[in-house]
Amino acid sequence: MGTTYQLINLSKKEVINYCHLPASKLREIVGNPVASAITTWYLINNVGDTITFLSDLEESPQDIEHYKEVTDRIINDLIQSQILKDEGFMYVDEDDPSIFIRDLKNIWID
């Protein structure tokens, strides 16, 4: 299956999860235009913060469950800035609708 990652801002106690995107592994995050845009936008807008990537194989900070999940906020910022386009869902699990993959496009690539 492979190692998955999330972006962690230790300074602001924020997290970006890639679990609802078609990219959560190292090469996918780098190669997927949407995941790359989310990551770059967040890093540039939080220069000076202590930011790292945490794999599912590493031990999480003890209070990570209290970190604010900001993925949707960043996606909305990118949609408002006309960088991403929301085309709904690529996949929704029929038995568990909390399992889904969003269908986002990087407008600059279309």
Side-chain angles (χ1 to χ4, degrees):
M1 178 145 172
T3 304
T4 61
Y5 291 86
Q6 53 185 216
L7 184 147
I8 307 291
N9 185 327
L10 298 168
S11 300
K12 291 188 174 131
K13 298 192 182 291
E14 295 179 336
V15 61
I16 291 180
N17 287 307
Y18 299 93
C19 62
H20 296 297
L21 301 173
S24 61
K25 297 175 184 74
L26 174 63
R27 291 183 55 171
E28 294 170 345
I29 292 169
V30 173
N32 181 283
V34 171
S36 290
I38 291 167
T39 303
T40 304
W41 184 268
Y42 190 82
L43 292 173
I44 290 172
N45 282 290
N46 292 282
V47 170
D49 288 0
T50 303
I51 298 172
T52 189
F53 286 89
L54 183 69
S55 80
D56 58 356
L57 301 177
E58 298 173 284
E59 189 172 323
S60 300
Q62 288 182 340
D63 60 344
I64 195 168
E65 67 273 359
H66 300 293
Y67 281 31
K68 184 176 181 182
E69 217 288 0
V70 296
T71 312
D72 288 336
R73 186 190 84 209
I74 301 306
I75 290 170
N76 289 334
D77 288 350
L78 289 164
I79 290 169
Q80 292 297 315
S81 297
Q82 298 180 337
I83 296 168
L84 296 183
K85 176 173 46 172
D86 189 348
E87 296 189 344
F89 298 96
M90 294 174 73
Y91 171 80
V92 178
D93 187 287
E94 292 178 13
D95 297 325
D96 184 356
S98 69
I99 299 172
F100 62 88
I101 302 293
R102 294 182 70 172
D103 189 7
L104 301 167
K105 304 287 188 237
N106 187 317
I107 294 170
W108 288 60
I109 294 183
D110 285 346

